[in-house]
Amino acid sequence: MALKTEEMTLNLGPQHPSTHGVLRLELKLDGEFIVDVIPHIGYLHRCFEKHAEAMTYPQIIPYTDRMDYLASMYNEFGYVVTVEKLLGLEVPERVEYIRVIMGELQRIASHLVALGTYGADIGAITPFLFCFRDREKILSLFEMTSGARLLYNYIWIGGVARDLPPDFLRLTKEFIVYFRPKIKELNDLLTFNKIFIERTANIGILPKDVAVNYGITGPMLRASGMKWDLRKDDTYSVYNKFDFDIPVGEGRMGTVGDCWDRYFVRILEMEQSLKIIEQAINQIPDGDVTSAIPKRVKPPVGQVYVRVENPRGELGYFIVSDGTLNPKRIKVRAPSFVNLAVISKLCNGHMIADVIAILGSIDIVLGEVDR
Amino acid sequence: MTEKEIFEILKEKFCETIIEFVEAEAGENYIKVNPLEIDKVCSFLFIDNILQFDSLMNLSAVDDANGEKKTEEDGSFEYIGGTLSVFYHLESTDKRHKITLGTTVEKDKPDVVSVTDVWEHANWHEREAFDLLGINFLNHPDLRRILMPYDWDAGYPLRKDYKDPDYYQGMKVPY
Amino acid sequence: MIFDFFTKLTGSEISASIISALLPLFLFVLPFALIAVLLERKVSAHIQDRLGPMRVGYHGILQTLADILKLIQKEDIIADSNDKPLFNIAPVLVFAGSYAVFAAIPFTSSYIGSNINLGLFYIIGISGIVVIGILMAGWASNNKYTLLGAMRSAAQLISYEIPTLMIVVTILMITGTLNLNELTEMQSGFFWNWMIFGGQATGIAKILLIPFMIVGFVVIYISTLAEVNRTPFDISEAESELVSGYHTEYSGMKFAIFFLAEYANMFAVSAIVVVLFFGGYLSPIGYLGNTLGLPWLIPVEQLLWFTFKGVAFVLVQMWLRWTLPRLRVDQLMAICWKYLIPIAFVNLLIVGLITLI
C-alpha cells in the first residue's frame, strides 16, 4: 500500500510570539521543511495615508511617529525633509545637527531592539534584556529633550520643537562612553556564540542582484554586500560633514547575505552611529532652533519624492501638493513593507525554526508595514 | 545623466508612447507615459546599458480628483469621471541617476500594465495601489487586496470620494 | 529502610508503601519546586541585570505561592475539539513519570523510597513514560503547534536516552550493581573516591579512569539536559517558534502540573548525575555527626549534602538556559547521533579495557 502524504498548512500568526506584531505567515510544510511562505499583512492598517489627506502638514508629524514606532525620530526626520524640499525651506545649521544626533541615537535604539529581539527569536533571552537596558538610556535622553519616550513629535517643519536641554550633550557623551563596551559584551554573549552562528550562518541567503530587484534597502541590502547608504550616496541634512564608514556583509561566518551578516551589519552600524554622534556633538553650532518654523505651511502645487536612511532602510515620502493646506496625497515607501516582500524567496527549503530566524533578521515593524 | 537627456533617449526610442515631459512648479519633473506601454518603457530603462535603471525606488498611485464634483445633500460627494495617476520613481544604483515616470488613466477604466516582470519590488506596491485606489494592473501575477481585508467590497479607500460602508461582515463600521 | 520502618509502625505493607511513596512528594518535590521556580526567576533576573519578583514578601519570596493561588483559581479550559480523556490524563502521566523517579533515589543512607536492586534500570525505564505523556498532550490538544512540539520532544527524548544509557553502562561495568544505594556506598570515603575520580579503583587504573569519567560526566550531563527539555535543547517548547510547544493549550492546574513536572525532572536528572558521579549523599569531607558523636546527625547531613549537590547542578541548568540560544531540531539530532553517541561508545570501550587492568 502506498502511503499518502500531504502538505501541512501552519498559520504563523497573527498572534505569535515572534512575528513582532500582527503578521500572518501561511506556511506550507512538508514535515518541518518549508515548501512555501505566503505573508498576509494589513492587520495593523490604520489608514495613515487617508488620515493625512484630511490634515494640515504640521498635524501629520505625530502620525508619522506611529508608523515605525521604534524609529519615530527618523520618520519625522524624513517627513519634514520632504516637506521642506517642497517648500524650498532652508533650516538653521543647529537644527540639522540636532536632527542628526536624534536620528543616530534613534538608529542605535532601533537596532538594539532588532538585535535583542533577534536573540530572543533564536532562544537567547538574556541579550534581549541587555539591549533593552541600554535602549532605556537612549529613551531617557529623548524624554529629556521632547517629553516623550516613544512618540516624540519633536522634529518640526523648519526646526525642532525646542532646543536641547542644558545637560543633553554631556549626558550623550556619557552614554557613548558607557555604550561602547556594551557592544563588546553583546558580541561576547551572542554574536560569536557557536550555537547562534550555527543557527544563522548560511540561512536565508539573499544575493545582491535579487536584493536590488526586490527594492531591499538598509542593513539588509548592505549585508548582501552592496555598499549603499543614502546618508552617503544621496546625502541629506548635514551627513556630508561627518566621517563614517558603511559596513557591509562579508560572509564572515557563512555566505554573504545570510542572517548572521544581516545581524552583524547592525552591530557595526551602531558603532558608526556612535562615531557620527561624537562628531556632531563636537561640531554643533549655536543658534535659534525655532526661527525658521513657518507660521503656515502651504506648499506650491507640485510633487516630490524624498528618501532618507531609516534604521530599517530607505524611508521615502511621496507628497503631492495641490496648493492647499492639506496634502493631496502622501505615499510612504516603508522599508519594512518592501523588505518583508522578499521573505517567501528566502525561506524556501529551510525549516520552521529558520523562518523565525529569517523573519527576525529582516527586522520588520508591523506599524510601518501596514501603516 | 539629467532627466532631460533621458527624456530625449526615450523620445527617440518610443515616439508615440512617451507623451510629454512635465515640468513642475515645485518639486520634481516627470515623464508622462502611455499606461498600456509602461512595461515596455520600463524594461528598456532596465536593460539599456547607458541607463541601467536597476532599482524601482517607489511606486505610488494618486487620485487626481479632477472629475466633476457632485455634492449630495448630506455633504458627501462624488466625482464623475476624472483620472488616476501612477508614479514610478526609478534609480540606477550604478550610474547614480534618477527619473520619475508618470502615467494617467481614466477612473472608469483604470488599466495600467504591471511592471512586476521588470522589478519584483513593484509586486506589493501594485497590490497596494490596486487595494487602495483600484488601479487594475494588467499581467500582475497576484493581484489581490493587501492591506484591506480580502473580502472588502466597499470600494477603494484612498479615492477622494470613498464612503465608508454601513456594515462590514455584520459589524457596524462608522462608530 | 523507610519502608520497613512504616511497616512496623502501621502494621500493614500497603499503607506503608502508600506513605513512603507520598513522603518524598510532600517532603521534597513540592517544596523543591516551589523554591526552584522562585530561584529560576531570581537567577534569571540577576543574570539579566534586573531584580525579578520584589513585591510579594521580602524580595518576592512568596511570589510562587501567589502564582500557585492564581493557577488554582484559574478556569480549566478544555476546547471542544480536544480529545478529552487523553487531554486530561496527559499531565498526570508526565508528572507521574518524573515523580516516580524519586522512589528509587537514595536521599540519605537511611532513607530510600524503595531500595530495589534494579534501581537504575527502574529510573531509566519509568522516565520513559514522560514521552508518552508529552505525545499524548500534543496529540490531544488538536493543535498543530502542540503536535509539532510533541513530535520533536518524542524524537529528542528517545535519541538522548542512548548516550545516557551508554554512560550508565560504563558506570555499571566498574561498579557491577544497579542498586543506587550500593552504588553510592561504593563511593564512600572522601571525595577522591567518587566515580568522577575513578571510584574505588587504585593505582594506575584510577589515574587512567579520571579523564574518561570526566568525559562520561559531560556526555551524561548534556543528554540529561536534553531529556528535561531545557535550553539549549528546549526545541519542543521553543517559545519563539511553537508558542510553547506541547502545553500550549493547557491552563490552570493542568499547566501547573506540567510546570511542576519540569522542575521535579530537573532535580531528578541532577540527582542521577550526582549519584552516578559525585558520590550521592556522601559528604566529601567527613561528617560532623561522627566528630561530635551524634549518629542521628549523619542522615541529616547526608540529606543536606545531597540537596546541595543536586541544587548545584540545577543552578548550572538555569545558568545555561539564560545564557545560550536554542538549537535547531536537526542540529539537536546531529549533536546526539554524530557526537554524543560515538563519544559515549568509545568511552565505554576504553573504560571497559581499563577495568581489565
Side-chain angles (χ1 to χ4, degrees):
Chain A
M1 191 186 79
L3 282 170
K4 202 168 117 246
T5 62
E6 57 183 62
E7 284 172 9
M8 181 167 109
T9 309
L10 184 71
N11 265 318
L12 201 75
Q15 277 87 36
H16 187 277
S18 51
T19 50
H20 299 223
V22 276
L23 165 72
R24 178 156 75 98
L25 293 177
E26 191 181 332
L27 309 182
K28 300 258 185 262
L29 297 176
D30 175 14
E32 286 243 357
F33 286 93
I34 306 293
V35 180
D36 199 6
V37 178
I38 306 162
H40 298 273
I41 63 173
Y43 292 91
L44 209 60
H45 182 50
R46 293 155 300 173
C47 323
F48 163 72
E49 289 163 6
K50 186 76 178 170
H51 276 300
E53 287 172 14
M55 282 180 292
T56 62
Y57 288 90
Q59 280 177 338
I60 294 168
I61 295 174
Y63 282 78
T64 63
D65 278 343
R66 282 152 179 81
M67 285 193 304
D68 183 350
Y69 41 76
L70 295 179
S72 303
M73 279 289 185
Y74 232 101
N75 288 3
E76 297 169 359
F77 194 176
Y79 174 72
V80 299
V81 168
T82 316
V83 178
E84 278 159 14
K85 187 163 178 203
L86 200 57
L87 289 167
L89 196 68
E90 283 287 319
V91 294
E93 183 136 87
R94 183 175 172 84
V95 171
E96 298 281 23
Y97 273 90
I98 293 176
R99 286 179 184 175
V100 167
I101 293 172
M102 290 299 163
E104 293 308 310
L105 280 174
Q106 183 73 82
R107 188 185 309 279
I108 295 172
S110 170
H111 280 349
L112 279 174
V113 177
L115 300 171
T117 50
Y118 194 48
D121 285 347
I122 302 293
I125 315 287
T126 303
F128 172 72
L129 283 141
F130 279 15
C131 287
F132 269 65
R133 176 196 63 195
D134 298 338
R135 177 172 173 262
E136 279 303 297
K137 299 214 184 305
I138 299 179
L139 295 191
S140 304
L141 288 174
F142 285 158
E143 188 182 11
M144 202 174 133
T145 319
S146 67
R149 293 176 72 78
L150 201 62
L151 307 162
Y152 312 106
N153 190 14
Y154 177 64
I155 300 177
W156 286 0
I157 296 165
V160 290
R162 55 184 78 81
D163 204 353
L164 295 175
D167 271 355
F168 181 84
L169 294 179
R170 182 179 60 82
L171 289 172
T172 311
K173 269 183 193 158
E174 276 172 19
F175 170 75
I176 294 171
V177 174
Y178 161 85
F179 188 60
R180 281 231 164 88
K182 297 294 170 189
I183 298 181
K184 190 180 172 297
E185 184 186 73
L186 184 62
N187 281 342
D188 291 344
L189 184 61
L190 187 65
T191 315
F192 297 109
N193 182 306
K194 179 77 179 139
I195 297 176
F196 182 73
I197 293 169
E198 285 290 319
R199 281 293 306 277
T200 52
N202 289 323
I203 301 295
I205 298 160
L206 180 66
K208 193 157 99 180
D209 50 335
V210 177
V212 174
N213 201 263
Y214 269 89
I216 307 297
T217 46
M220 230 179 139
L221 179 65
R222 291 193 277 281
S224 297
M226 179 134 165
K227 227 179 169 69
W228 182 260
D229 189 320
L230 297 176
R231 288 175 292 173
K232 272 218 158 104
D233 288 295
D234 190 7
T235 189
Y236 53 94
S237 195
V238 283
Y239 274 110
N240 50 3
K241 292 188 181 160
F242 305 119
D243 167 44
F244 61 99
D245 299 326
I246 305 171
V248 289
E250 289 161 350
R252 210 164 127 191
M253 294 298 161
T255 320
V256 176
D258 58 10
C259 287
W260 194 85
D261 270 354
R262 288 199 276 277
Y263 169 89
F264 196 57
V265 159
R266 292 197 174 96
I267 295 245
L268 297 175
E269 270 181 23
M270 291 202 297
E271 284 169 12
Q272 297 304 323
S273 292
L274 287 179
K275 219 165 134 187
I276 296 175
I277 298 168
E278 253 177 355
Q279 294 172 46
I281 289 177
N282 291 334
Q283 295 172 17
I284 188 165
D286 286 334
D288 188 358
V289 294
T290 49
S291 59
I293 297 179
K295 290 274 173 295
R296 212 162 72 113
V297 182
K298 196 174 176 187
V301 179
Q303 57 178 10
V304 69
Y305 175 77
V306 174
R307 52 199 190 146
V308 292
E309 184 74 28
N310 180 279
R312 269 153 263 278
E314 173 181 328
L315 173 71
Y317 286 89
F318 176 65
I319 301 184
V320 183
S321 155
D322 53 0
T324 59
L325 289 171
N326 307 336
K328 184 170 168 192
R329 168 91 164 102
I330 290 188
K331 151 97 185 179
V332 185
R333 180 221 193 268
S336 301
F337 176 78
V338 178
N339 293 356
L340 180 63
V342 81
I343 190 166
S344 38
K345 182 117 184 149
L346 292 182
C347 286
N348 277 354
H350 285 309
M351 304 178 85
I352 298 178
D354 297 330
V355 174
I356 307 296
I358 291 167
L359 187 67
S361 74
I362 295 177
D363 182 24
I364 48 167
V365 170
L366 266 299
E368 190 185 47
V369 173
D370 298 339
R371 298 189 295 283
Chain B
M1 230 189 260
T2 62
E3 287 166 333
K4 267 277 189 247
E5 287 165 350
I6 295 166
F7 176 67
E8 292 306 324
I9 295 174
L10 284 178
K11 191 79 194 167
E12 218 168 278
K13 176 96 181 152
F14 305 92
C15 32
E16 62 275 14
T17 315
I18 305 293
I19 297 166
E20 57 175 324
F21 185 77
V22 181
E23 291 211 42
E25 246 179 83
E28 59 200 19
N29 313 321
Y30 64 93
I31 299 170
K32 210 166 187 182
V33 185
N34 183 339
L36 297 178
E37 309 276 343
I38 184 94
D39 61 326
K40 293 192 190 104
V41 176
C42 285
S43 53
F44 170 73
L45 288 170
F46 181 75
I47 293 166
D48 191 74
N49 274 333
I50 312 162
L51 301 171
Q52 282 188 7
F53 279 101
D54 55 353
S55 163
L56 171 71
M57 291 188 286
N58 190 17
L59 186 156
S60 20
V62 181
D63 184 354
D64 294 325
N66 51 2
E68 186 192 330
K69 195 166 176 179
K70 202 177 104 187
T71 313
E72 313 214 343
E73 278 169 25
D74 58 349
S76 68
F77 55 89
E78 209 179 337
Y79 283 107
I80 311 291
T83 55
L84 302 169
S85 298
V86 184
F87 292 99
Y88 302 78
H89 293 85
L90 313 181
E91 179 191 32
S92 167
T93 54
D94 193 34
K95 306 276 181 200
R96 307 283 162 121
H97 47 222
K98 293 191 259 184
I99 194 178
T100 310
L101 301 181
T103 175
T104 304
V105 285
E106 290 294 319
K107 218 175 206 171
D108 304 329
K109 194 174 178 298
D111 288 345
V112 180
V113 184
S114 163
V115 294
T116 306
D117 288 345
V118 188
W119 300 286
E120 280 289 345
H121 181 191
N123 190 331
W124 278 25
H125 279 295
E126 285 179 353
R127 277 178 70 185
E128 192 191 316
F130 164 74
D131 188 6
L132 301 179
L133 281 135
I135 290 166
N136 185 27
F137 288 94
L138 305 171
N139 302 336
H140 190 283
D142 180 30
L143 199 63
R144 286 176 295 145
R145 284 195 180 266
I146 185 164
L147 294 176
M148 303 293 287
Y150 292 124
D151 55 355
W152 189 259
D153 52 7
Y156 305 103
L158 271 188
R159 288 196 180 175
K160 294 283 180 189
D161 52 359
Y162 168 79
K163 279 193 283 288
D164 274 337
D166 288 339
Y167 286 95
Y168 166 67
Q169 301 251 347
M171 292 175 283
K172 201 160 166 14
V173 174
Y175 55 91
Chain C
M1 288 301 144
I2 204 75
F3 177 67
D4 308 322
F5 173 75
F6 281 118
T7 321
K8 266 183 226 148
L9 198 73
T10 59
S12 142
E13 285 200 355
I14 296 167
S15 51
S17 44
I18 290 171
I19 292 170
S20 56
L22 289 178
L23 213 54
L25 177 67
F26 290 109
L27 281 186
F28 197 81
V29 181
L30 288 180
F32 170 77
L34 282 183
I35 294 163
V37 171
L38 183 70
L39 198 65
E40 170 113 56
R41 297 179 70 167
K42 277 293 187 187
V43 166
S44 70
H46 286 289
I47 286 178
Q48 295 167 349
D49 260 14
R50 34 184 198 99
L51 292 168
M54 288 294 281
R55 297 293 172 93
V56 193
Y58 175 74
H59 275 247
I61 46 171
L62 299 175
Q63 181 67 43
T64 326
L65 283 178
D67 281 347
I68 286 189
L69 274 177
K70 181 202 77 174
L71 282 171
I72 289 171
Q73 291 173 48
K74 271 183 99 167
E75 186 191 354
D76 179 27
I77 299 169
I78 303 175
D80 270 351
S81 51
N82 288 352
D83 190 335
K84 283 175 197 69
L86 290 185
F87 188 78
N88 289 334
I89 207 170
V92 180
L93 214 56
V94 170
F95 181 69
S98 43
Y99 168 58
V101 171
F102 283 89
I105 287 178
F107 287 94
T108 72
S109 55
S110 53
Y111 178 82
I112 176 165
S114 170
N115 190 16
I116 43 177
N117 281 329
L118 288 173
L120 204 47
F121 184 72
Y122 161 79
I123 285 177
I124 304 271
I126 201 84
S127 58
I129 288 187
V130 175
V131 186
I132 303 174
I134 288 174
L135 260 180
M136 237 182 216
W139 177 260
S141 298
N142 199 2
N143 174 325
K144 285 168 185 170
Y145 286 111
T146 59
L147 183 62
L148 273 171
M151 294 306 237
R152 284 177 175 193
S153 187
Q156 177 186 346
L157 291 187
I158 290 167
S159 305
Y160 276 87
E161 296 246 300
I162 299 168
T164 316
L165 275 175
M166 286 212 182
I167 301 301
V168 168
V169 171
T170 317
I171 299 289
L172 286 187
M173 282 196 313
I174 301 170
T175 60
T177 175
L178 283 163
N179 185 318
L180 286 169
N181 205 27
E182 275 176 40
L183 215 153
T184 313
E185 288 300 335
M186 284 176 82
Q187 303 177 48
S188 61
F190 290 97
F191 64 87
W192 52 81
N193 281 342
W194 291 355
M195 281 323 271
I196 189 121
F197 300 116
Q200 298 285 12
T202 45
I204 187 89
K206 189 173 175 77
I207 293 159
L208 282 176
L209 268 178
I210 292 174
F212 296 102
M213 281 295 141
I214 290 173
V215 170
F217 160 67
V218 171
V219 170
I220 200 171
Y221 193 71
I222 293 175
S223 13
T224 51
L225 202 60
E227 280 187 53
V228 290
N229 291 334
R230 300 278 295 180
T231 318
F233 304 107
D234 66 338
I235 57 155
S236 60
E237 291 175 28
E239 196 248 344
S240 61
E241 296 151 34
L242 301 182
V243 190
S244 62
Y246 57 87
H247 56 65
T248 307
E249 295 276 325
Y250 284 88
S251 66
M253 260 334 266
K254 280 185 202 141
F255 171 75
I257 290 174
F258 274 120
F259 211 61
L260 192 63
E262 184 184 330
Y263 282 91
N265 231 338
M266 271 165 72
F267 189 81
V269 296
S270 301
I272 293 166
V273 171
V274 166
V275 170
L276 288 181
F277 284 95
F278 289 87
Y281 51 72
L282 295 169
S283 156
I285 45 169
Y287 296 103
L288 208 61
N290 280 339
T291 332
L292 298 177
L294 300 169
W296 58 268
L297 203 59
I298 293 174
V300 179
E301 278 183 61
Q302 285 175 334
L303 182 64
L304 286 178
W305 276 114
F306 188 73
T307 320
F308 172 74
K309 290 175 191 171
V311 170
F313 283 110
V314 170
L315 277 175
V316 176
Q317 288 179 350
M318 290 177 182
W319 178 22
L320 286 175
R321 171 165 184 179
W322 297 108
T323 310
L324 293 177
R326 180 187 310 119
L327 285 160
R328 201 172 57 211
V329 64
D330 58 327
Q331 290 162 347
L332 182 94
M333 290 296 159
I335 285 181
C336 179
W337 293 96
K338 284 191 190 155
Y339 300 102
L340 292 186
I341 290 179
I343 289 171
F345 195 69
V346 171
N347 205 42
L348 175 70
L349 283 178
I350 295 174
V351 172
L353 288 174
I354 293 171
T355 48
L356 289 178
I357 295 173

